[in-house]
Amino acid sequence: MDELTSRIKDLEQISGALEPSEEKRNELLAQVGGYANNFINNLPSAESYSPKKAKSEAFFFDGKSKSLEKVLEVFSEEVASKGIRAASGGHLGYIPGGGIYGSALGDYLAAVTNEYAGIKFASPGAVAMEHELLNWMKRLFGFPESAVGNLTSGGSIANMIALTAARDRHKVKGAKIEKSVLYLSPQLHHCNLKALRIIGLEDVIIRHLELDEDSKIITRDLSEKIMEDKEAGFEPFLVIASAGTTDTGAIDPLREIGEICKEQKLWFHVDAAYGGFFILTESRKALFAGIELADSLAVDPHKGLFLPYGLGSVLVKDREAVLHSHHYSANYMQDAIDGSGESDPADLSPELTKHFRALRLWLPLQLHGIHPFIACLEEKLLLTRYFRNKMKDLGFELGPEPDLTVTYFWWPVPGGDEEGFNRKLLQEIHKDGTVFLSSTSIKGKFVIRLAVLSFRTKLETINKAIEMLIRIKDRISAELYS
Ligand SMILES: *Cc1c(COP(=O)(O)O)cnc(C)c1O
C-alpha cells in the first residue's frame, strides 16, 4: 500500500465508529426502546412540572466518547425530569399535544433513511407524501386542489409563509407600506405580529378590532374600520382571524369575515394553529363554516393531531403569491428542475434542506386511521366541559363557555386581594407539579388557564387536577384567614 492509501485506511478504522454493526445497532436500539418504555409507563405517576433548572455543565462536551447508558442518564436527569413534562397528560398549560408514539417511529425512519424532503428530484416519495397530506388538509378545510401548501416546523413559520404571500400579492413594499392597513383581533397569537416584523411589515397600519363577550371579532367594527380607512386614503389589504384563540379557544365569525374580505378584495388569513383540527369533530364542525373562504390558513398537527413538537402546516390558494418570495433557482440546483410545473416544497417555504417531517404525520395516520384522532378531540371537548362543571360547583369563577378546549378560571375573593390570591394559587400549582397550568390576562384580569389537548389527558387526569386545585386553594385560604 502506498502512503496515501494506508493513511485513508487508518482513518477508515477510526471513522468506522460512526457506522455501528447490526449487533451494536440492536443493542443501542434496545437501550433507547427500554428507556422510552420506562418513560411512557411512568408518565401517569410522574409530576407534570418541575421548577428545577438544568445544570448546563452536565451537557459539556469534552470531545470524548461515552456509553449510551451514561448519556441516557444525563438525558433522564437533566432533560426529561425538569421543566414541563410535555409528554404528560398533566400538561394542561399553553397548548399541549402530547406526542404520539407513531410519530416517534416516523422520525426514526426519516432519520435512518435521511430522505431529502425539499425537492422531488431528490426524494419523489417524500415530496409526494407531503403533497398528499396537504391535499388531505385542503379537502378538510374546503380549499381547492389548486391551492399550495407546506409542512413547516410549526405555526409560526406557517403563518409567516401565509403573511408573506399576502404581502406579495398586494405588493406591499416601499412607500406603500405605511399606507397599507391590516385588521386583527387583540387576541391574535403574537407570532403573527412577529412574522410581520420579520417580513418587513413593521410599519404597516394595524387596526385592532373590537371583540364581543366571547372574545370574537365584531364584524360590524371590521366593516366600519375598512370604510373609514378607504375614505381616508389608506389601503386595507389583510384581515387575520383565528380559528381557536390561544387565550380562550374562540373561533372568530369566519364566514362573515370571509365575505367582507371578498367584497373589499382583502386577503383573508386564518390562524387555526391550535383549533383547526377540531373541524374533524361532528360537534364543532359548524363553527368552522366559512374557513373555506380564507386565502390562507395555518394549522398545527403538533397541536390538534397530538404529534410531538415540530409540525405545522400552511395552505395558500394563490400559488403565484407564494412562489414570488420562495421560489428561486440557482446554477447548482439545475439538475433538480423537472419542468413538471409542480412546485417543490423548497419553492414554498424558506427552507431548502428540510427534515422529512411528512413521515411523522403520515405514519401514525396510516397506522391508526382517523377515528381515534376524532374520538380524542371529542374526548378533550367533553373533558373541558366536565372540568368547568366541577369547578363551577366548587365555587370557582369561570370565563365564558369556550368553543374548544381552552378555558380560564379564578377563585373569587370578594372585597379582598383577588389577584394576589390567584397569583399565589398559580405559584403553588407550579410548586406542586401534579399537573401543569399556566396563566394569562383577560382584559387586564389575572386568570388561570386550562388547555386540554394532550392525547394523554384523561378523566383521571382532570380529576387529579381538580383535587389538586381544591387542596391548594384550601391551604392558601387557611393561611390567609387563620
Ligand atoms: C401555537 C400557536 C401558534 C404558534 O405556533 P408554533 O407551532 O408554536 O410556532 C400560532 N397561533 C396559534 C393560535 C397558536 O395556538
Side-chain angles (χ1 to χ4, degrees):
M1 256 193 284
D2 63 22
E3 203 196 343
L4 178 62
T5 316
S6 100
R7 181 81 189 112
I8 291 172
K9 285 284 172 194
D10 286 348
L11 292 173
E12 204 173 278
Q13 274 283 317
I14 305 169
S15 65
L18 299 178
E19 185 76 283
S21 66
E22 180 172 348
E23 194 188 352
K24 186 74 188 162
R25 290 200 298 274
N26 285 336
E27 194 186 296
L28 294 170
L29 196 55
Q31 268 177 280
V32 170
Y35 178 85
N37 277 333
N38 222 350
F39 177 84
I40 293 170
N41 294 342
N42 284 329
L43 278 175
S45 57
E47 58 192 7
S48 299
Y49 178 69
S50 159
K52 279 185 269 171
K53 303 257 187 306
K55 296 193 201 76
S56 47
E57 64 273 18
F59 300 104
F60 179 76
F61 179 49
D62 61 7
K64 300 198 189 90
S65 83
K66 318 223 162 18
S67 69
L68 180 57
E69 204 179 347
K70 196 91 200 128
V71 172
L72 287 175
E73 227 174 82
V74 173
F75 179 80
S76 175
E77 300 241 323
E78 297 300 324
V79 182
S81 315
K82 294 183 175 175
I84 300 170
R85 193 168 290 236
S88 165
H91 180 14
L92 300 165
Y94 307 110
I95 305 280
I100 51 178
Y101 192 70
S103 278
L105 299 178
D107 275 351
Y108 175 72
L109 287 178
V112 169
T113 58
N114 197 25
E115 293 292 333
Y116 189 93
I119 294 175
K120 69 177 145 333
F121 172 77
S123 183
V127 171
M129 187 188 289
E130 171 158 342
H131 283 324
E132 269 317 303
L133 288 168
L134 292 163
N135 284 339
W136 172 64
M137 291 185 216
K138 289 177 209 167
R139 293 193 294 275
L140 205 56
F141 293 101
F143 271 48
E145 210 180 302
S146 59
V148 292
N150 199 262
L151 295 182
T152 63
S153 56
S156 300
I157 302 297
N159 281 310
M160 189 177 82
I161 292 171
L163 298 181
T164 304
R167 177 198 68 185
D168 292 349
R169 181 161 89 209
H170 286 265
K171 300 191 170 56
V172 182
K173 57 181 176 180
K176 206 174 153 181
I177 293 177
E178 291 183 3
K179 285 196 300 182
S180 298
V181 193
L182 73 87
Y183 304 83
L184 49 80
S185 152
Q187 286 289 324
L188 182 70
H189 194 280
H190 75 275
C191 77
N192 291 284
L193 299 163
K194 183 167 147 178
L196 290 170
R197 282 197 200 156
I198 295 171
I199 66 173
L201 295 188
E202 183 173 1
D203 295 327
V204 295
I205 302 163
I206 296 179
R207 302 273 184 240
H208 287 96
L209 299 166
E210 280 173 33
L211 305 183
D212 67 14
E213 293 194 338
D214 295 330
S215 299
K216 300 182 186 202
I217 290 173
I218 298 175
T219 47
R220 185 178 30 80
D221 184 50
L222 173 62
S223 302
E224 284 171 10
K225 285 197 161 89
I226 294 171
M227 287 307 167
E228 282 166 20
D229 283 327
K230 283 194 167 172
E231 273 164 30
F234 295 122
E235 297 180 28
F237 78 106
L238 169 66
V239 180
I240 312 178
S242 306
T245 56
T246 312
D247 261 351
T248 68
I251 300 176
D252 287 319
L254 302 175
R255 180 173 300 287
E256 288 173 52
I257 297 172
E259 277 160 6
I260 294 170
C261 288
K262 201 165 206 175
E263 206 179 286
Q264 302 290 338
K265 301 197 167 52
L266 310 189
W267 187 285
F268 177 29
H269 175 62
V270 178
D271 180 357
Y274 152 57
F277 286 110
F278 281 95
I279 199 172
L280 286 162
T281 66
E282 272 313 307
S283 68
R284 293 301 186 279
K285 200 180 194 158
L287 291 170
F288 291 87
I291 202 164
E292 71 283 355
L293 300 174
D295 291 286
S296 55
L297 169 79
V299 58
D300 274 0
H302 70 198
K303 288 175 178 166
L305 291 177
F306 322 111
L307 262 59
Y309 297 131
L311 195 69
S313 53
V314 61
L315 299 176
V316 183
K317 283 181 185 164
D318 186 336
R319 175 170 178 264
E320 296 308 313
V322 183
L323 293 181
H324 181 83
S325 280
H326 293 108
H327 170 72
Y328 222 88
S329 44
N331 293 340
Y332 45 80
M333 295 298 295
Q334 60 191 9
D335 301 338
I337 299 165
D338 75 346
S340 72
E342 202 183 59
S343 301
D344 284 319
D347 293 328
L348 304 166
S349 97
E351 295 177 294
L352 175 56
T353 302
K354 80 188 271 181
H355 176 52
F356 178 19
R357 49 178 82 96
L359 192 55
R360 65 204 321 268
L361 174 56
W362 185 80
L363 192 143
L365 284 176
Q366 296 291 325
L367 204 59
H368 303 297
I370 198 64
H371 291 292
F373 290 90
I374 300 175
C376 202
L377 289 166
E378 293 279 14
E379 181 190 16
K380 304 310 142 203
L381 288 162
L382 296 185
L383 286 174
T384 309
R385 191 198 294 169
Y386 175 89
F387 175 82
R388 286 175 57 90
N389 290 347
K390 294 275 172 188
M391 291 291 277
K392 195 161 169 233
D393 292 346
L394 289 164
F396 282 88
E397 296 279 347
L398 289 152
E401 179 91 31
D403 288 330
L404 303 173
T405 60
V406 176
T407 186
Y408 61 91
F409 64 89
W410 67 96
W411 181 254
V413 185
D417 179 8
E418 192 164 274
E419 170 157 347
F421 189 101
N422 285 283
R423 279 188 185 277
K424 177 88 180 148
L425 184 56
L426 184 78
Q427 230 174 46
E428 295 298 315
I429 291 168
H430 286 178
K431 257 193 228 165
D432 183 284
T434 307
V435 301
F436 178 78
L437 299 173
S438 52
S439 71
T440 188
S441 164
I442 305 283
K443 293 181 200 129
K445 183 181 180 62
F446 177 89
V447 294
I448 302 176
R449 191 179 154 280
L450 173 102
V452 188
L453 199 61
S454 167
F455 75 103
R456 290 196 175 100
T457 301
K458 300 284 158 190
L459 192 58
E460 195 188 321
T461 327
I462 297 296
N463 283 332
K464 218 159 68 170
I466 293 166
E467 278 161 28
M468 180 194 78
L469 286 166
I470 299 172
R471 174 160 39 85
I472 296 176
K473 183 262 296 173
D474 288 348
R475 194 171 68 220
I476 300 174
S477 297
E479 278 166 18
L480 285 179
Y481 306 117
S482 59

